[in-house]
Amino acid sequence: MNKNLRKAVIAGNWKMNMDRKGAEKLINELKPIAADKTCGVVICVPYTDLETALRLTEGTNIAVGAENCHFKKSGAFTGEIAADMLKEMGVEYVIIGHSERRQYFAETDLTVNRRVKAALAAGLKVILCVGEMLSEREDGITEDVVELQTVAAFTGISAEDAKNVIIAYEPVWAIGTGKTATAEQAEEVCAFIRGVVAKRYDQAIADGMTIQYGGSMNEKNAAELLAKENIDGGLIGGASLVAEKFGVLLAEASK
Ligand code: PGA
């Protein structure tokens, strides 16, 4: 089965949650739960928790990611963080193009592409988010939207660099709403995205690429979603903030 050609990765996206104390508690609870799991384990945390997360996860199987980065190497960009700064700290992953950045912070396909390039050039692994809004699904243009977002994000990215990208398919209407895409809907779009990657690169790159589902994935619906051929893990918001819940997802993805 092609699913064996790629690694399932469960990545937490803490968003703007967890002060330092909360982060310490959650990570300390998570460590023993994650220790025997075979899937990839990533926690993407606010910038202010990165140092705590890196310190506490040292020598464990938990990798640390940031939730965004800027596309310039340095300069007059007040409030921004460069990819090299993250890399220097020891950060391994960065989420790029999350729908909340696209919706609330004027992120576009062009700036997503710039950020992906900058992150890969810095040696970071990218979790690239794509997904349609409810109105786009209702208009029947889901595939057009995710194809455009995917093709734009990979513009100018070599096949070798593309191997350091995970795609997270996150239908915007399912994020933080408790409304999950059905396993069939999620599988359909993840399979479509794999086809887009195959067209852009080749089948081997597409078969090897981890494609996650994200959007209200939790301890109850994870098994069904993760059993699907083209769903290789998840990008998890709410359920990543509770160690036991996140642990269930890790266990499911390790089966
Ligand atoms: P959710 O968030 O699991 O809380 O829906 C997922 C995400 O935004 O990455």
Side-chain angles (χ1 to χ4, degrees):
M1 202 159 94
N2 284 344
K3 215 169 164 63
N4 300 328
L5 299 173
R6 44 196 179 255
K7 196 177 169 76
V9 177
I10 297 286
N13 173 13
W14 288 9
K15 309 193 178 185
M16 198 172 71
N17 294 296
M18 293 288 162
D19 59 12
R20 212 182 305 193
K21 247 186 153 158
E24 272 184 22
K25 183 168 175 289
L26 179 53
I27 294 167
N28 282 329
E29 288 169 354
L30 205 54
K31 278 201 282 191
I33 297 176
D36 62 343
K37 303 300 185 290
T38 54
C39 69
V41 186
V42 184
I43 51 171
C44 297
V45 307
Y47 294 128
T48 48
D49 286 329
L50 284 172
E51 195 155 12
T52 303
L54 288 164
R55 176 169 49 83
L56 293 178
T57 59
E58 211 181 321
T60 74
N61 62 332
I62 303 174
V64 174
E67 299 174 12
N68 188 27
C69 69
H70 194 59
F71 43 83
K72 292 284 189 180
K73 284 186 94 62
S74 63
F77 301 101
T78 304
E80 291 296 321
I81 306 282
D84 286 332
M85 294 171 171
L86 297 172
K87 182 67 183 176
E88 187 205 21
M89 288 184 80
V91 170
E92 205 177 321
Y93 286 85
V94 63
I95 298 174
I96 306 275
H98 191 277
S99 65
E100 286 150 17
R101 305 259 4 136
R102 294 179 192 256
Q103 267 185 299
Y104 309 137
F105 301 98
E107 190 81 75
T108 65
D109 286 338
L110 180 66
T111 56
V112 167
N113 176 242
R114 285 184 180 155
R115 284 180 221 275
V116 170
K117 280 183 182 153
L120 293 172
L124 296 170
K125 293 178 186 145
V126 169
I127 300 176
L128 164 71
C129 301
V130 299
E132 82 286 5
M133 292 190 295
L134 182 59
S135 58
E136 293 167 333
R137 176 163 283 267
E138 287 173 346
D139 284 348
I141 56 169
T142 295
E143 291 189 349
D144 304 271
V145 170
V146 298
E147 177 161 21
L148 189 65
Q149 290 174 338
T150 306
V151 169
F154 281 102
T155 300
I157 307 291
S158 70
E160 210 42 45
D161 278 347
K163 291 178 186 164
N164 287 318
V165 180
I166 290 174
I167 298 179
Y169 166 56
E170 298 206 308
V172 181
W173 48 272
I175 295 177
T177 57
K179 232 185 186 183
T180 331
T182 64
E184 288 68 33
Q185 284 172 324
E187 165 67 11
E188 197 182 0
V189 183
C190 288
F192 174 78
I193 292 169
R194 200 175 303 286
V196 172
V197 175
K199 230 186 326 174
R200 169 70 181 81
Y201 296 99
D202 59 34
Q203 197 58 47
I205 301 260
D207 285 341
M209 189 168 284
T210 296
I211 300 184
Q212 302 171 320
Y213 168 77
S216 299
M217 195 196 261
N218 59 38
E219 69 287 2
K220 296 192 188 81
N221 57 32
E224 199 190 350
L225 287 158
L226 294 171
K228 291 292 181 192
E229 168 81 16
N230 286 288
I231 303 178
D232 315 310
L235 182 57
I236 319 297
S240 74
L241 299 174
V242 182
E244 304 78 58
K245 292 186 182 182
F246 199 60
V248 174
L249 302 185
L250 297 180
E252 289 296 341
S254 299
K255 278 182 182 166

